[in-house]
Amino acid sequence: MSSFLVQLLNGLAGASSLFLVAAGLSLIFGVTRIVNFAHGSLYMLGVYIAYSMSERLAGGVGFWFSLVFSALAVGFIGALIEMVLLRRIYKAPELFQLLATFALVLVIKDGVLWIWGAEDLLGRRAPGLEGSVEILGRNFPTYDLFLIVIGPVVLALVWLLLTRTRWGTLVRAATQDREMLSALGVHQSWLITGVFALGAMLAGLGGALQLPREPANLGMDMLSIGDAFVVVVVGGMGSIPGAFVAALIIAEIKAICIWLGDVNFGPFSISFSKLTLVVEFLVMAVVLVVRPWGLFGRPQGTPRHSGAPEAPLRPAGKSLRWFAVALVAGMAVLPLLQGQFPYALVLSVDLLIAALFAASLHFIMGPGGMHSFGHAAYFGLGAYGAALLMKAAGLPMEAALILAPVVAGLGAVVFGWFSVRLSGVYLAMLTLAFGQIAWSIAFQWDDFTGGSNGLIGIWPSGWANNRTAYFYLTLVLVVVGLFALRRMLFSPFGYAMRAGRDSVLRADAIGIDVKRIQWLAFVIAGVFAGAAGALFVYSKGSISPEVLSVTKSVDGLVMVLLGGVQTLAGPIVGAVTFTWLQDTVARSTDYWRALLGGIILFLVLVFPQGLAGFIHDLVVKLKPNREAAR
């Protein structure tokens, strides 16, 4: 019982820091509607700045001043980010704002690497709180008791700020209806800047308070943003009390899992401690299935028009068809250039696989209007399916390439059935939860998937075991896959899918079963993503859980957004551009993330409609001029 109580107290201490990060994220999303991927980077900056200040300032006053200064400094950085970058793209689609914040993650990570280095940095203990107290015969850190108090205090202060001040009233009004607030003459720019600064300051404070508990390291950004997203969604988007309750629930469930450890049920043994890697995503999945708007959120009504009007998709013209044929023909002669460019075939296989993966995600994002943050689950299921069919079942490559997409499709049947019952950011977060669950299974099932080490020795059949033959195999399968996806969009199914995207009510009124169509779209996208994963594993000869990670899903999002969501060529252009940039930049500098992030930021600011969208608009503008010249 004493160990159980101590674990519950540990959970309360962890919940306070988690709440601080999630509260800031919830505030920013509530007012700006931006899914801020860089919020975890602000948390990481809070830890590193607090470390530097505390090392330079001696004594107890210096340490506590370092924590306060770190929070204020991160708040100032957040205000600069909003004024310099985000304010310029508020009129861009929400997903492009997400792309900009992802680019910031890359820039900030390499900035931290350049200033503080790659080594973990362990901070000092909090002066005056170095000891422990005895609880039922067990020692419990005094600093953790301090953290337990901090969470409710910050919750009370934020609640008073939002409910007892004029600024808080305006923030709550902006959360409900920004357009009406603007119509009343309220200047929103500084209001949004203030909200962003407050949210960043809370993230910086949450990070700084962790300095005596854990070392500062470069992986803190992605770990913290994943947990913060879960807390915000479980509590209800925009609800500060909901974020506090959700942080308590998730932190306590993690603490109980650690306390349980390994439990035997007859011949079976369950390691609850390993569940801590995924338990928050399991909680989020259950909550979203039972209560789609979160514990303290409000139900979303069926929108009369779910997105901005888009021009109808049109079949490719004769010139575009000839260009596509010429492009494929040009790639077909690449093996002839192996002598001059030996790396060309390897890179081309990566580009082709990335194009198919991005096109499968675009299939549900663009024409389907469904945002997925966990699409890597299907890519990984296809990759692991092909590897295990070969290693465990002894099937040849040809059979594995056929059956692996079926494995991914079966996963999409299950995940998609739950996902299509939600919409907007809640749908995206549920797909993220399913993706993390799939990653956790691959990461921990050592006997079957190889665990964190993955699987090796997965090579093509003899006839395709040389670089040229496998390139041609990949080229043929990817071209067939892209053509099939495109043809489906111009079939009755494709028109029904786009009708459901543009207006759920009107599509339902003419007899379209929107949810069934969306479910089938998820399955189709999963099948083609699985095909890309199967090709990937044979091109590399090995597989690891990274192919199922959030990072892989984010890469897919970046590819689609970089090329443009509203054009069919967008995912292909984006996949080729992003993969080529990533490969080229990574080989040219140690700080390749910052350079890549800077390039993405430039492209977002200059081409907010995506590269393919910009080219399409340019062609449309030039066409009347050519006709007038004739």
Side-chain angles (χ1 to χ4, degrees), residues 124-136:
R124 299 178 180 179
R125 291 187 175 185
L129 300 175
E130 301 98 333
S132 61
V133 296
E134 187 173 321
I135 300 176
L136 297 180

Side-chain angles (χ1 to χ4, degrees), residues 93 95-96 305-313 357-372 375 427 485 488-489 493-503 517-518 521-522 525 556-557 559-561 563-572 609:
L95 287 173
F96 281 94
H305 188 80
S306 59
E310 294 184 14
L313 296 176
F357 175 56
S360 68
L361 176 57
H362 175 267
F363 187 79
I364 55 175
M365 279 186 62
M370 297 174 289
H371 305 152
S372 174
H375 202 63
L427 183 151
L485 285 171
M488 277 186 277
L489 291 178
F493 168 79
Y495 287 113
M497 183 170 61
R498 281 181 277 155
R501 175 202 64 187
D502 293 336
S503 178
I517 293 293
Q518 291 177 336
F522 252 91
L557 279 170
M559 294 173 193
V560 173
L561 299 176
V565 180
Q566 298 179 358
T567 59
L568 295 183
I572 301 174
Q609 69 275 57

